[in-house]
Every structure is written in C-alpha cells, then in structure tokens.
Amino acid sequence: MLSILPFFGCSKQQPPPQERAAGLPEWVEGTSEPLPLKKSATPAYLQVQKTASVIRPEPLRKIEVLEKLNPGLSSALPQLTELLRTAEVSPKFKSFYDAKIIALAAGESMSTDDYFDCATVLHLTAPTTGRKVVLFQSDMDVDTDGTDPVRLARLQDYDDARISRSFQPLLAYSWAQSAGQQAANPFVQYYADTLTKLRTLHKQVSDEAAHDHCYIWQSVQKQFEETISALDRRAKYYDEDLRTRRSLVGSLDPFIVVPQTWPDRLKLPFSVQVGDFVAVISGGKVYPCVIGDTGGDAKMGEASLKVAQAINPKATGRNSAADNVTVTYVIFPQTRLAMAAPDLSVFQTEVARLLEEIGGLGTSTTLHPWQ
C-alpha cells in the first residue's frame, strides 16, 4: 500500500533529512506535503491525531532517467534528447497528482504502484516544424471496452471483454452507423434478457424473504434489487447509442485512454482530444495509436487489449501489460481526423508523418505494422 509519512509540522530549524520510505520506486524524488485526512466521528475514549503527509513526485525531464525506465527510448526517438532541453512540465502533471491526493484525503486507498503511475507529463515543441507534443511516462493497464456490431456482431465475440466489472460497451471514439451498414448491437437484447431473468429470480427471492425473515433472504433480496437497478440504469443510458452508433473495440483497435480532465475545447497548442494520434514506445518499439477514450482523473496508463498484447502477449483484461512506468506515450495534439470505422493503414501513415515532424525514428526503428 502507499506509504504515508508522518508530518511533523513547521519549524524554524532545518529539519533533518528524511529517510527514504521502503518500497518507494527508484525514480521517485519529491517533497512531502500535508495530507488533510477525512474527518469522522470518534468515541470520547479515543484520541486520534489526524495529520499525515504524502509524497508528491517531481516530474522527470532528463533523457537519462527516461531511458533507464524505458531502455531503447533514445534510439527509437533520436531527437528526443534535444526536445527535452526546452521541454516544459505540463500543468496536467500537477492536476493529476492533485486528484490523487484529494482521493486519498477522502479515504480512498491505493497501492504504491497505483499512486506513482505517472512519472512525468511534458510539453515538447520541435524547433524546426513547431510540432507540439504531449509526452507522458506511465505503466499500461488493459482496456477491453467497446462494441461494433458491424465488425463483431455476436455476444460471444465479447466474452473475454465483458468479464471485466468496468466493461463499457461504447467508447468516446464512436461514430454513427451508416444507412448501408446497420447492424443490431447484441448488448441491447442482452441487457433486456438479463433484466427479465433477474426480475424473475428477484420475485422468487422476495417470496422466500416474505415467509422467512432470516437475514440471509433479506440480504440476497437487497443484492438483487441493487443489481437490477444498476443494470437498468446502464441499459437505459446506452440504449439509443447502442442502436445507432459504433465504436472502437479493445480487441481490434490500437488506442490509449487518457484522464477525463485532459480533453478540452479550448484548442490551445497542447490541448488534446479524443481521436488525436499517439505513438506508444516500449522496449525500443513504436506503436501507432489514437486516443480512444477517457477514464478517471486520477488514473494514468491504459491502452487497448490490441496494443497491450503487442507489447506483452500475457496481457489480458485482468493482467497489465506493464506494471511499472516503463512505457512512453507521445500524443500529437489537434491531429484528430473525422471519427469513422478505423483504417489502421491511416493510423500508420499519420503517426509516421507526425514523427517525422519531431525528428523521425532511429535508423533501426520502424513503426509496428498492425494486422
């Protein structure tokens, strides 16, 4: 779990150097700041000191450190060393750890790896072309979300994906079904059928609970009611879009997920949006992708199953492709094309072109060819 260090308050004297907490990732250098803990009522016989401090990491900016985390990075992007000389730390980095610290203060717990899942967010500008880049260093969890009834029409096509508790049938990168390519999304009928079955079972449980007032039946009845309510809300929320739209699919399409606070409509030089092109770099290899969805504002490092398994064949919806911050993500802001059925050859061509605008790939590096 995340190490929260004692906070001793301010002093006029220079405090002694603090011993490095056990289990802290090697790359982490930072400062401790007060963590205001969530207030809760305590009995009169307890005296609780509700003060703590939390480490806020310093963003990485040197190629030597990034290369140590992601060996082969400087060979894949030879001009990155020069780009880093004028790099600016993105405000997104501070906002990201602000969100984590707020979550901790509210009582949420997270592992050390989950807390330190982003080592930097930088704004880079290529001096000759002016091309802007948002670079971040993170881990890689796996996204199995998304449905497209034109390409995957059967419910069984999503069996591996929907094991996930957080499975979402539509991503932010979605588009309207065309008149000539309309297909029924299997989740419309699946949600309806499942609700019918659950309500039938709920009636049976309710009948038992009416005759047997033991807590067991009352507890099961409550679980059924909560499950039915949650599924009913989900079915209604997605119903229209599932009938009329298609989206990227985790098992088919190469995409990454960014925090929901990142996309904006300001169209500033470093404003990112769903659909922007991305180069993902791991182990000296470069994978062309797009931003396909957004997630929690305190979670970083997530890519589609297609990307994750290209990097780590053992990756699944339950197993990360990279547990540590060993993956470099290079976003090209304001490069989104019209969202439509993905043409992976276009992903390849556009990312190759954009990489040339920041100095190109190394002589022994090629873009990963998607099949």
Side-chain angles (χ1 to χ4, degrees):
M1 301 303 291
L2 174 65
S3 300
I4 299 180
L5 306 179
F7 179 67
F8 300 104
C10 298
S11 172
K12 292 183 179 180
Q13 295 182 347
Q14 184 71 22
Q18 204 165 41
E19 187 175 332
R20 188 175 179 85
L24 206 60
E26 186 178 345
W27 65 268
V28 173
E29 297 292 343
T31 55
S32 293
E33 59 184 63
L35 178 68
L37 299 178
K38 183 179 180 181
K39 294 181 179 180
S40 58
T42 55
Y45 58 80
L46 287 180
Q47 294 184 352
V48 181
Q49 300 295 322
K50 293 186 176 179
T51 58
S53 71
V54 63
I55 297 174
R56 182 187 289 269
E58 290 292 327
L60 303 183
R61 301 181 65 171
K62 295 182 178 180
I63 188 62
E64 297 82 6
V65 185
L66 293 173
E67 174 73 23
K68 188 173 182 179
L69 290 172
N70 189 0
L73 176 61
S74 56
S75 297
L77 292 181
Q79 293 302 309
L80 183 57
T81 301
E82 284 300 315
L83 293 173
L84 288 173
R85 296 188 197 282
T86 56
E88 297 181 352
V89 176
S90 171
K92 293 179 175 65
F93 186 77
K94 180 181 183 301
S95 299
F96 179 66
Y97 277 96
D98 284 346
K100 285 183 178 289
I101 291 170
I102 289 170
L104 288 173
E108 183 177 332
S109 63
M110 57 187 81
S111 69
T112 300
D113 286 342
D114 285 343
Y115 179 76
F116 293 116
D117 65 355
C118 180
T120 197
V121 184
L122 300 173
H123 290 172
L124 311 177
T125 303
T128 55
T129 64
R131 169 58 62 192
K132 307 297 183 184
V133 163
V134 176
L135 178 150
F136 68 94
Q137 186 76 20
S138 189
D139 56 7
M140 183 178 285
D141 291 332
V142 182
D143 190 311
T144 62
D145 293 346
T147 59
D148 182 355
V150 173
R151 294 184 291 163
L152 295 176
R154 305 174 308 158
L155 184 67
Q156 303 95 294
D157 295 328
Y158 304 95
D159 281 353
D160 289 340
R162 61 196 183 95
I163 290 173
S164 170
R165 286 177 173 269
S166 61
F167 176 76
Q168 303 293 332
L170 281 174
L171 303 179
Y173 192 118
S174 66
W175 60 96
Q177 291 198 37
S178 63
Q181 273 193 323
Q182 290 186 326
N185 192 303
F187 280 86
V188 174
Q189 192 63 48
Y190 172 71
Y191 287 153
D193 291 346
T194 303
L195 280 169
T196 299
K197 293 176 183 178
L198 285 172
R199 285 170 176 144
T200 299
L201 292 171
H202 176 246
K203 185 178 184 308
Q204 296 175 17
V205 169
S206 297
D207 289 344
E208 292 290 345
H211 292 91
D212 184 344
H213 298 291
C214 175
Y215 78 93
I216 296 174
W217 288 110
Q218 309 300 321
S219 176
V220 173
Q221 183 182 27
K222 182 179 179 182
Q223 290 177 20
F224 265 96
E225 290 168 354
E226 291 174 349
T227 301
I228 289 170
S229 177
L231 181 56
D232 188 49
R233 288 195 304 271
R234 170 180 286 245
K236 290 175 179 176
Y237 178 83
Y238 283 114
D239 185 70
E240 182 178 354
D241 284 341
L242 287 176
R243 294 177 187 275
T244 61
R245 300 188 69 78
R246 304 164 57 188
S247 86
L248 297 183
V249 179
S251 62
L252 299 180
D253 304 312
F255 64 83
I256 71 165
V257 180
V258 297
Q260 60 192 358
T261 52
W262 280 28
D264 60 56
R265 298 181 181 179
L266 300 177
K267 294 189 176 180
L268 298 173
F270 294 99
S271 294
V272 304
Q273 54 191 340
V274 171
D276 281 345
F277 287 103
V278 183
V280 175
I281 305 161
S282 176
K285 298 180 180 179
V286 184
Y287 304 84
C289 309
V290 294
I291 297 176
D293 204 9
T294 61
D297 57 3
K299 172 74 182 73
M300 194 85 83
E302 189 175 0
S304 66
L305 181 64
K306 188 173 185 70
V307 178
Q309 289 188 333
I311 290 174
N312 180 355
K314 295 182 179 179
T316 68
R318 294 179 174 177
N319 297 318
S320 298
D323 292 325
N324 301 313
V325 291
T326 57
V327 183
T328 306
Y329 300 78
V330 177
I331 301 173
F332 298 97
Q334 308 296 314
T335 57
R336 177 175 73 184
L337 302 178
M339 286 191 275
D343 182 340
L344 301 191
S345 67
V346 173
F347 287 21
Q348 193 93 7
T349 302
E350 286 299 300
V351 172
R353 177 182 65 82
L354 293 164
L355 285 167
E356 285 298 321
E357 293 186 11
I358 61 168
L361 296 176
T363 54
S364 60
T365 305
T366 57
L367 275 179
H368 179 78
W370 296 117
Q371 302 298 323

